Amino acid sequence: TRPVANDASLLSQAGVPARRVTTLDAGDEAFVGGFGGLLRPRLLVPSDWQRLPAAVHRALLVRRRIAAETPRIRGLAAALAWHLFGAIVVLLLVAQPDTALGLVRFSLGCTLWSFLGVLVLPTPSRRAVIALDQAAAREVGAEPVAEAIVTLDRWQDDEPARTPFVETIFHPVPTPTARIAALPDSAPSLAGAWRVARLALPSGLASWSLLGRAVHCNLGRPALWWMLPGD
């Protein structure tokens, strides 16, 4: 990735300090950026957003600004807690990494634990996506948020609808149809753990999980190994 110029005027309209944003060209339109740092995060946003109408671009920046306040930390904390608990389970029930064979067994055990997370963690992730959509819509209106939802999905999965079973088990981001239908509802708080299912994949490297670079959305795409496609 490489940094490109920010639109200071648009950032000001979105309530985002220009000094806290870096726009990156990742060479992959599925790249949606993320955050740099912990206490005062820098927003890392894709240059492809600059191709969008100003109102849609602003809606995305507003939504990301809201995510930086608490949902981001909640999702990251949940992902790390998932791996910490899994590592303890593997240490107690599978193997300890005190020999070469033990290290291999520990790694494989944590990889299986990560796969369990692929099945379990999408549910709190979807709740947070809906809550963030609603929070952004209350600030900038539902129409630009809906257009942003449809556009980003087209750049990624291009799957406007799917069966409830498939979505429940495998997808941390609801379909555009479901997200847009939920926009009129008013969420009292930012529920769920934002992007926990996606953050759990690269952070699994801390426990020697091998799954982070082997899922369909980032396989063979280095720009997406840490900042995976998302909402």
Side-chain angles (χ1 to χ4, degrees):
T1 58
R2 60 183 180 85
V4 297
N6 290 318
D7 186 335
S9 174
L10 191 61
L11 293 174
S12 177
Q13 294 174 28
V16 183
R19 68 182 184 279
R20 303 302 305 170
V21 177
T22 298
T23 303
L24 299 173
D25 179 5
D28 191 324
E29 66 180 7
F31 176 73
V32 293
F35 297 93
L38 290 175
L39 298 180
R40 298 189 63 190
R42 174 175 290 275
L43 276 65
L44 307 177
V45 300
S47 61
D48 284 329
W49 287 5
Q50 296 177 339
R51 296 157 41 194
L52 300 171
V56 178
H57 191 179
R58 176 171 174 259
L60 287 169
L61 291 172
V62 167
R63 191 179 183 281
R64 192 58 57 88
R65 187 204 73 217
I66 297 170
E69 294 166 0
T70 55
R72 173 190 68 97
I73 289 294
R74 190 182 302 151
L76 182 58
L80 295 177
W82 174 263
H83 287 299
L84 177 61
F85 182 74
I88 293 172
V89 170
V90 173
L91 284 171
L92 294 176
L93 301 181
V94 181
Q96 296 185 357
D98 53 354
T99 64
L101 180 59
L103 179 60
V104 171
R105 287 176 174 171
F106 176 78
S107 174
L108 294 178
C110 288
T111 299
L112 289 175
W113 182 262
S114 293
F115 181 75
L116 179 62
V118 171
L119 306 179
V120 173
L121 298 179
T123 295
S125 297
R126 286 193 303 274
R127 291 172 182 163
V129 170
I130 295 294
L132 272 174
D133 289 342
Q134 293 168 341
R138 287 196 296 269
E139 186 165 335
V140 302
E143 186 175 344
V145 174
E147 187 173 346
I149 289 170
V150 172
T151 300
L152 262 61
D153 179 75
R154 190 181 304 122
W155 289 354
Q156 297 176 50
D157 291 336
D158 195 15
E159 197 173 7
R162 61 179 74 98
T163 65
F165 174 78
V166 171
E167 176 157 311
T168 299
I169 299 299
F170 295 111
H171 290 272
V173 180
T175 62
T177 302
R179 293 173 66 182
I180 292 171
L183 285 178
D185 297 333
S186 178
S189 63
L190 293 177
W194 185 58
R195 298 198 74 180
V196 58
R198 293 281 163 87
L199 289 170
L201 290 169
S203 60
L205 289 172
S207 61
W208 291 82
S209 168
L210 305 176
L211 196 64
R213 297 179 182 178
V215 292
H216 77 281
C217 62
N218 71 342
L219 184 62
R221 304 165 81 178
L224 309 180
W225 281 350
W226 177 260
M227 299 178 187
L228 284 79
D231 51 303

